[in-house]
Amino acid sequence: MIIIANVLQSLFIPHTIGSFLPSLPLDSIFSTQGIMVMLLAAYAGAMWMFLTSAPKVHTVMVSDLEIARQLYEGLLDLPAAEVPLHYYYNYEQTIGATGVDPLYLSSSPSLAGSRMTNASDGLWYQLKKNTQLHVITGASIGTKNQQRHVCFDRDCLEMILMRVETRGLKFKIRNQKPLNFLVKDYEGRIIEMAEVAN
C-alpha cells in the first residue's frame, strides 16, 4: 500500500506568532492599552537610566570665587567637570523657585541681582567618579576677614577634608557636628569650611 502525502503543502502553512506562544494574549498586548503600558514602561526605564547616570552635585557657597579657584584647582588639584545636563535648562525654576524674590536670597540687595544669573555659573569640579562640586558665591566673610566656604552637605565637606589631608595641607578641625575646619593655604590665608546645620 502506498500513501501519497502532500508534504510540500504542509511546509508552507502560514504560522502566526500566536501559534508559537499560545499562552501569550497577543491581542491584548498590541491593543491601545497594551501599547500605552509598554510606552510608559520604556519611559520609566529611560528616566531610571538618566537619573542613575546623572552625577550627584554638591554645592559650596564661597565668599571669594577667585580664592576658591586657587584652593580647589591649585592646592586640592580637583579636575574641572562638565556642567550636568539638567543644569542647562533653568533647573531651579522647574522645582518651584520661580516665585522667590531675589531680595530674600541675599542680605545685600545690591548683590542679589548680580550673584547667580544662571545655574551653570560658578566653578564645577569632579570630586569622585559620579560626584561633582559646584562652587558659587554667596557666603559672607568670616571673623578676622577669613574666607568662608559653606555647605549644607556633610558628605561633601568630608570629601574635601580627605582631599586636604591627602595633599598635606595644614588644617584644624574646630567642630565635628556640624563639621567645621580651617585650612591654611600656601599664602598664609585661613579658609573656614563650615557645614550649615538645619
Side-chain angles (χ1 to χ4, degrees):
M1 170 163 147
I2 298 176
I3 299 176
I4 299 173
N6 192 350
V7 177
L8 291 176
Q9 189 178 13
S10 66
L11 288 178
F12 294 112
I13 296 175
H15 296 286
T16 61
I17 296 176
S19 63
F20 294 114
L21 303 169
S23 64
L24 192 63
L26 294 177
D27 57 337
S28 64
I29 289 178
F30 292 114
S31 69
T32 305
Q33 289 177 339
I35 290 174
M36 290 302 292
V37 168
M38 287 191 295
L39 286 174
L40 285 172
Y43 179 72
M47 284 304 293
W48 176 257
M49 293 296 291
F50 173 73
L51 292 174
T52 55
S53 67
K56 182 174 183 176
V57 176
H58 297 291
T59 302
V60 172
M61 292 190 307
V62 299
S63 51
D64 188 327
L65 204 57
E66 187 53 41
I67 293 174
R69 181 190 312 272
Q70 293 170 10
L71 173 70
Y72 293 115
E73 288 179 14
L75 299 177
L76 299 182
D77 197 27
L78 289 174
E82 295 287 327
V83 178
L85 183 64
H86 57 278
Y87 276 80
Y88 277 114
Y89 301 107
N90 291 334
Y91 178 70
E92 71 280 358
Q93 292 183 7
T94 62
I95 58 173
T98 57
V100 177
D101 189 353
L103 292 174
Y104 295 119
L105 298 176
S106 170
S107 60
S108 165
S110 63
L111 292 175
S114 65
R115 285 247 170 117
M116 292 276 295
T117 57
N118 190 356
S120 62
D121 287 349
L123 307 172
W124 289 87
Y125 299 106
Q126 197 74 35
L127 273 175
K128 291 193 318 187
K129 181 180 179 188
N130 206 22
T131 306
Q132 291 182 352
L133 178 66
H134 186 200
V135 180
I136 60 173
T137 58
S140 61
I141 296 287
T143 58
K144 300 178 187 175
N145 273 344
Q146 290 178 344
Q147 296 296 314
R148 288 188 74 217
H149 294 203
V150 179
C151 185
F152 290 97
D153 193 352
R154 183 179 180 85
D155 292 339
C156 173
L157 285 180
E158 286 176 348
M159 285 187 272
I160 293 172
L161 179 59
M162 186 174 62
R163 192 86 175 189
V164 166
E165 290 174 340
T166 58
R167 297 290 177 212
L169 296 174
K170 292 183 180 180
F171 70 96
K172 177 183 177 185
I173 297 177
R174 297 169 70 190
N175 198 2
Q176 283 291 340
K177 288 191 178 181
L179 185 58
N180 187 321
F181 61 95
L182 303 174
V183 178
K184 188 173 188 178
D185 67 4
Y186 294 142
E187 296 178 18
R189 291 183 294 228
I190 304 294
I191 301 170
E192 178 187 2
M193 309 290 267
E195 175 190 5
V196 177
N198 294 343

